[in-house]
Amino acid sequence: MLSNSEKHLQVRGTEINYYFICKTKLWLFSHNIQMEQESESVSMGKQLHKKSYGREKKDFTIDNLISVDFIRRGETLELHEVKKSSKMEDAHRYQLLYYMYYLKKEKGIQNIIGFIDYPKLRKKEKVELTESEEKSLEGIIEGIGQIVHGTISKPEKKKICRKCAYYEFCWV
Amino acid sequence: MKKNYYLMSDGLLKRKENTLYFVNKDGKKPIPINKIYSIYAYGSLTFSSQSVHLLAKEGIPIHFFNYYGFYDGSFYPRETLLSGDLLVKQVEHYLNPGKRLWIAKKFIEGAAGNMEKVLGYYHVQNGIGKTVKDLTLSSNVTEAMNVEARMRSEYYSKMDEILPDGFKMEGRSRRPPENMVNALISFGNSMVYSTVISEIYNTQLNPTISYLHEPFERRYSLALDLSEMFKPILVDRLIFYMVNKRMLTEDDFEQKVDYCILNDGGRKKFIKEYDERLKKTIKHRELNRKVSYRRLIRLEAYKLIKHILGTQEYKPFVMWW
Ligand code: SF4
């Protein structure tokens, strides 16, 4: 069971990711204002997914909150997230750390290691859940709660806006 | 790119795996499901429940039109893009008279701006700009509607200055339309209405909660609201263009003593041009991106959402080119 303070902070992995990328995006997403998936970069992401890891079991969803790209089970539990580019490192890293944190707290699973795979860059990054990372995560979860329960944040133009599914929404 | 499919003849919609087939007297035509944006059915359409399942799953609406080309209704698949917060706010803006009136006036201003653009293109002097100023005196939606009605009748009376002989409008007649131009306007307006329904479907807005029109006027009254701004651009301009270029002639109409409607051939011509217009793109100033006319309708819905959420005051669309 989650403790009371954790219960109302149930967040989805995507929200952790958006927290680093854009507060407006986080707000809209968490309020179920999502855009139709027509944009090109979205479908490119899906393609990449299919091509690179066809053989692994994909898209694990756990408790409707988190979804990892695939899991390998051996002595340890390996979580893998597949990403296109390393541009949003913190966002990716904390998303994965959150999954690990969640599995540890919720499911009592020890020995989890995370990997972020960048197939395009032929790169693989190992992620470990240390105590200090846990602390930062808790701060992030708190921060997300505040944004989501507040009023929508005004969009701020940044580089990633051009490729964001909310681009037209924010800038029209 | 997804497109609209216009089914002009009577026929049957069948499904085989993930493909729909339209079967009519001329044969069987496949319509790949991932290519369909909306379907417009002008003939009488029979469909299997299997095909409806597929359309529902993919979120594709069908709009139905009767023998006269008037809008009958839509198959509006169960909504997938729901947002409780937005719905609550949308209702709040309806229930609060001040907030509702504010939005209603904006829609009228947008419509006025676009009517002026259309007339201005043909150098027709008009008093629409002056009439619309009276909106400041309207303290409720009914009064605002009266201003709108005055402005609209001024607009329609000026249309005759643009139309060639034989195609004069001589006042608006709706049900039934009494002459060719009235028939074109009725037909075109119901196309815009359905186009707007499809766009709203792809957002989290609830199509039954409206501001200018009363929610009980039509099933999708928000589509009526948003149509006002787009009718001059999408329909009226198209009519002037086609009629003045003699792309439409008397042969394209079925004229009876008490009514006039487009015949099959006329409908086909008009729909073809209308669809091309929807696909036509312009460079959007704020977005610095090319958008289609159809997309402009979606953007209008986005702007309304932002207004309702309180991030940005709504400014109605008025053609800027
Ligand atoms: S377009 Fe830019 S501001 Fe808007 S949600 Fe996306 S990233 Fe945030």
Side-chain angles (χ1 to χ4, degrees):
Chain A
M1 275 301 281
L2 290 170
S3 73
N4 261 345
S5 66
E6 280 164 317
K7 211 180 254 165
H8 74 271
L9 289 175
Q10 286 206 352
V11 289
R12 285 172 283 185
T14 315
E15 290 171 300
I16 304 266
N17 188 288
Y18 289 176
Y19 176 79
F20 287 93
I21 295 176
C22 173
K23 313 275 187 264
T24 313
K25 192 166 175 159
L26 170 60
W27 194 96
L28 289 166
F29 175 82
S30 62
H31 288 252
N32 280 322
I33 298 174
Q34 293 168 38
M35 297 289 125
E36 92 280 28
Q37 305 281 288
E38 267 173 34
S39 89
E40 287 216 330
S41 71
V42 173
S43 61
M44 258 172 55
K46 282 188 187 149
Q47 281 295 345
L48 175 85
H49 220 106
K50 277 197 193 121
K51 279 204 196 111
S52 317
Y53 293 91
R55 276 163 299 133
E56 312 285 344
K57 196 156 168 21
K58 288 191 299 253
D59 290 335
F60 270 85
T61 307
I62 300 157
D63 293 353
N64 249 333
L65 277 180
I66 62 180
S67 103
V68 271
D69 289 325
F70 65 88
I71 292 180
R72 265 193 207 127
R73 186 120 223 198
E75 307 246 306
T76 51
L77 184 68
E78 274 185 33
L79 297 187
H80 288 257
E81 268 290 288
V82 183
K83 296 294 175 194
K84 269 191 290 192
S85 73
S86 58
K87 264 185 239 141
M88 297 173 254
E89 303 227 10
D90 265 351
H92 298 162
R93 218 158 54 80
Y94 278 104
Q95 188 174 359
L96 191 54
L97 280 167
Y98 173 69
Y99 295 155
M100 296 160 77
Y101 176 83
Y102 186 86
L103 290 173
K104 183 178 163 195
K105 296 273 157 172
E106 258 301 277
K107 311 283 170 190
I109 302 173
Q110 305 295 331
N111 292 339
I112 311 172
I113 346 175
F115 289 99
I116 304 175
D117 302 295
Y118 301 99
K120 263 199 169 163
L121 312 171
R122 297 173 188 283
K123 209 177 100 181
K124 193 162 152 180
E125 191 192 324
K126 192 168 161 190
V127 178
E128 272 171 298
L129 183 65
T130 61
E131 220 167 273
S132 78
E133 293 285 31
E134 282 193 19
K135 278 270 159 311
S136 336
L137 256 180
E138 280 155 14
I140 291 162
I141 293 170
E142 188 75 46
I144 290 174
Q146 276 165 12
I147 291 166
V148 167
H149 292 112
T151 53
I152 177 171
S153 326
K154 233 184 163 29
E156 275 170 45
K157 205 157 229 158
K158 22 192 172 303
K159 235 174 147 189
I160 59 151
C161 288
R162 286 234 136 230
K163 283 192 182 152
C164 176
Y166 292 105
Y167 179 83
E168 289 179 328
F169 180 86
C170 285
W171 303 110
V172 67
Chain B
M1 207 41 195
K2 295 186 177 189
K3 36 185 205 175
N4 288 332
Y5 282 82
Y6 302 92
L7 309 177
M8 303 302 295
S9 56
D10 295 353
L12 169 74
L13 211 52
K14 267 188 12 191
R15 169 186 181 179
K16 209 173 156 211
E17 272 142 26
N18 275 343
T19 305
L20 285 183
Y21 291 88
F22 180 60
V23 189
N24 66 7
K25 57 180 182 354
D26 303 323
K28 191 162 135 183
K29 212 178 104 206
I31 322 179
I33 194 79
N34 52 13
K35 284 265 161 67
I36 316 175
Y37 192 74
S38 308
I39 296 175
Y40 293 69
Y42 284 90
S44 91
L45 186 67
T46 310
F47 40 83
S48 68
S49 64
Q50 286 310 310
S51 56
V52 173
H53 286 317
L54 188 61
L55 291 166
K57 190 171 137 246
E58 300 294 326
I60 300 163
I62 314 182
H63 306 297
F64 299 97
F65 300 85
N66 66 14
Y67 171 76
Y68 301 99
F70 291 139
Y71 175 82
D72 250 355
S74 296
F75 164 67
Y76 197 83
R78 184 163 50 90
E79 294 186 77
T80 49
L81 300 166
L82 294 176
S83 165
D85 305 294
L86 186 66
L87 178 62
V88 169
K89 295 229 158 71
Q90 206 187 327
V91 174
E92 181 203 331
H93 279 259
Y94 170 77
L95 290 175
N96 179 312
K99 287 182 177 175
R100 177 182 172 188
L101 181 62
W102 194 91
I103 299 177
K105 283 183 180 179
K106 289 291 158 184
F107 289 155
I108 299 174
E109 282 169 27
N114 286 315
M115 288 175 184
E116 281 188 290
K117 279 276 173 181
V118 169
L119 295 180
Y121 181 83
Y122 291 93
H123 309 290
V124 175
Q125 304 290 328
N126 64 82
I128 291 174
K130 210 169 141 244
T131 308
V132 85
K133 287 217 173 75
D134 290 348
L135 275 181
T136 49
L137 307 170
S138 318
S139 54
N140 58 47
V141 174
T142 316
E143 283 171 25
M145 276 289 213
N146 290 338
V147 175
E148 208 237 339
R150 278 196 283 133
M151 162 185 115
R152 192 165 294 277
S153 76
E154 157 105 15
Y155 174 65
Y156 284 131
S157 74
K158 295 288 178 190
M159 276 175 115
D160 279 345
E161 293 183 27
I162 303 167
L163 294 163
D165 284 341
F167 264 101
K168 300 289 183 205
M169 175 168 170
E170 289 151 356
R172 180 84 175 104
S173 55
R174 272 164 240 262
R175 285 175 186 263
E178 281 158 8
N179 54 34
M180 294 184 287
V181 172
N182 272 297
L184 286 168
I185 292 175
S186 294
F187 186 77
N189 285 354
S190 68
M191 290 198 82
V192 173
Y193 176 66
S194 346
T195 306
V196 176
I197 291 174
S198 286
E199 291 311 314
I200 295 176
Y201 178 74
N202 282 294
T203 71
Q204 282 78 12
L205 286 169
N206 183 303
T208 63
I209 299 161
S210 54
Y211 303 98
L212 178 58
H213 297 83
E214 287 297 339
F216 48 79
E217 262 176 66
R218 284 255 199 120
R219 180 90 178 84
Y220 305 118
S221 45
L222 185 62
L224 285 182
D225 280 9
L226 292 178
S227 297
E228 296 297 342
M229 273 172 285
F230 291 96
K231 285 187 312 200
I233 310 281
L234 291 174
V235 178
D236 307 340
R237 258 192 25 161
L238 186 58
I239 293 173
F240 295 142
Y241 171 77
M242 292 186 78
V243 167
N244 284 326
K245 282 218 145 81
R246 308 294 295 157
M247 292 164 81
L248 286 169
T249 65
E250 286 189 20
D251 297 340
D252 294 309
F253 295 84
E254 181 184 326
Q255 304 204 51
K256 293 277 155 66
V257 191
D258 51 347
Y259 73 88
C260 173
I261 58 171
L262 273 163
N263 62 25
D264 264 6
R267 279 183 199 181
K268 275 192 189 133
K269 286 189 204 168
F270 189 85
I271 287 175
K272 185 168 166 284
E273 294 297 320
Y274 175 82
D275 195 60
E276 255 159 42
R277 238 160 233 229
L278 284 184
K279 286 191 279 202
K280 204 170 135 184
T281 59
I282 45 125
K283 177 104 177 226
H284 196 285
R285 288 182 307 186
E286 272 91 39
L287 297 177
N288 199 22
R289 226 179 233 193
K290 275 183 149 184
V291 296
S292 63
Y293 278 45
R294 180 174 88 184
R295 197 69 177 176
L296 286 172
I297 302 173
R298 177 82 63 86
L299 296 179
E300 222 44 28
Y302 290 164
K303 279 153 65 184
L304 189 59
I305 295 176
K306 289 209 283 186
H307 177 80
I308 288 167
L309 292 177
T311 34
Q312 190 178 302
E313 205 170 73
Y314 177 70
K315 259 207 238 109
F317 158 72
V318 175
M319 239 176 132
W320 59 82
W321 61 97

